Amino acid sequence: MNLYCRLVLPLVFCGVVVYLPFGHAAAQPDLAELTESPVTKKPVLDLSSPAERFNALNSLVRDGKIGRVAARSELKRLLAELRGEYYRKGGIDFLKDTWVFPLAGYDARAMGGGRNKGYIASGYDFFSGNRHGGHPSFDIFIHDRNQDCLDDRSGKPVRVLSLTGGIVVALEREWQQGSGLRGGKYIWIFDPTNDLLVYYAHNSELFVKLGEIIKPGDQLAIVGRSGYNAEKRRSPSHLHLTVLRVRDGLPLPVNVYRELAKAGTGTER
Ligand SMILES: [Zn+2]
């Protein structure tokens, strides 16, 4: 067995990404975004901002391409960086009493799901990505009987507003019909004041970019029907909202129904 077989092949079988000496990338090239080169110890792909790196990490988690231990330590490290970035870029603390209901022209009465409002935390694990269980989330429905994503009352699109302050840390705008991706065109915002990750899914169009600083009530998107289940006829048009509190790199669901019921309306902002 030559040196190549003894040193490089075991790394490939262990799931470590290695660039072969003949210019061929090994399987799982996406992992290269976060792993060091085994030779130089430098990041294989040097993404410029912490938000871009968080977005890359989130995509790896979403697509089941990174283990939970590695993902958790990377997530903890990146959120510390993003906290610094938020305040450096002029972000200020927004306490819960400044929060804004995330759909313009709507309030908590638009939240479906009966007594628990569809919120099921058990079975949820952030690190299972696109295959996670539970529904630690609220679906907030718009008036859209013909499913054209226009409000039946106004004939206009419905604006998705930021519930909290924070920094945009992940997003997906390339979703296409027929994709298996459940969130469709989504946005994740990190709120350093309250240690929250807030997720807005199924949008039709996004209006923010990675690293952008956000205040409560800022427009993030327009309500859509993007996502594996959300695009189906049986799904009424809605915003899917998830709030996770991060402790030591572990994001866990929090039920913010009370905060949503009290939140201001952002109609005029
Ligand atoms: Zn939902």
Side-chain angles (χ1 to χ4, degrees):
M1 191 184 270
N2 66 21
L3 189 67
Y4 170 76
C5 293
R6 275 189 288 140
L7 293 181
V8 177
L9 285 183
L11 289 174
V12 173
F13 291 130
C14 291
V16 175
V17 170
V18 183
Y19 284 102
L20 302 180
F22 316 109
H24 299 107
Q28 295 187 305
D30 285 350
L31 262 176
E33 291 174 358
L34 288 161
T35 51
E36 293 174 335
S37 156
V39 180
T40 64
K41 298 291 175 201
K42 287 188 178 152
V44 173
L45 189 66
D46 198 6
L47 294 168
S48 56
S49 77
E52 285 173 317
R53 293 199 295 278
F54 189 96
N55 187 48
L57 171 67
N58 183 62
S59 298
L60 292 173
V61 171
R62 182 194 75 189
D63 300 338
K65 290 180 175 167
I66 185 168
R68 62 181 296 126
V69 174
R72 182 173 173 176
S73 74
E74 192 66 18
L75 186 132
K76 185 178 171 185
R77 205 177 59 74
L78 282 174
L79 288 187
E81 269 191 65
L82 285 158
R83 180 184 304 279
E85 173 108 337
Y86 176 75
Y87 294 110
R88 224 177 6 259
K89 283 181 161 177
I92 59 168
D93 288 328
F94 289 100
L95 301 176
K96 289 179 179 179
D97 58 3
T98 65
W99 285 7
V100 169
F101 195 78
L103 284 191
Y106 287 81
D107 60 31
R109 287 172 294 180
M111 296 162 66
R115 200 164 64 88
N116 295 324
K117 303 292 176 191
Y119 180 89
I120 305 164
S122 72
Y124 178 78
D125 175 9
F126 174 82
F127 295 111
S128 330
N130 196 43
R131 292 174 299 133
H132 72 76
H135 184 261
S137 315
F138 297 108
D139 293 329
I140 310 174
F141 297 92
I142 65 166
H143 299 284
D144 181 21
R145 295 180 72 152
N146 62 356
Q147 302 192 342
D148 63 356
C149 297
L150 301 176
D151 192 309
D152 294 341
R153 303 168 302 179
S154 64
K156 292 183 179 159
V158 180
R159 294 181 297 135
V160 175
L161 309 177
S162 187
L163 174 68
T164 69
I167 177 168
V168 179
V169 293
L171 49 76
E172 170 62 57
R173 23 173 137 253
E174 307 301 325
W175 177 86
Q176 304 272 327
Q177 282 195 323
S179 151
L181 200 58
R182 287 156 68 176
K185 296 184 185 179
Y186 61 76
I187 298 170
W188 281 100
I189 293 190
F190 173 51
D191 166 7
T193 305
N194 302 290
D195 295 309
L196 302 177
L197 282 168
V198 189
Y199 176 64
Y200 305 81
H202 310 323
N203 306 292
S204 68
E205 202 180 335
L206 310 186
F207 291 102
V208 291
K209 54 184 193 299
L210 287 174
E212 197 169 329
I213 304 296
I214 299 295
K215 301 186 299 298
D218 280 353
Q219 183 175 2
L220 305 176
I222 283 176
V223 173
R225 303 181 49 80
S226 62
Y228 181 70
N229 290 313
E231 71 169 325
K232 292 179 179 157
R233 190 81 201 151
R234 62 179 156 78
S235 173
S237 307
H238 67 281
L239 167 71
H240 170 105
L241 177 82
T242 305
V243 180
L244 307 174
R245 181 171 294 122
V246 189
R247 290 270 185 269
D248 196 29
L250 179 65
L252 292 173
V254 279
N255 186 334
V256 293
Y257 177 71
R258 233 181 304 172
E259 285 83 353
L260 287 166
K262 279 196 299 194
T265 51
T267 317
E268 301 309 320
R269 296 178 74 150

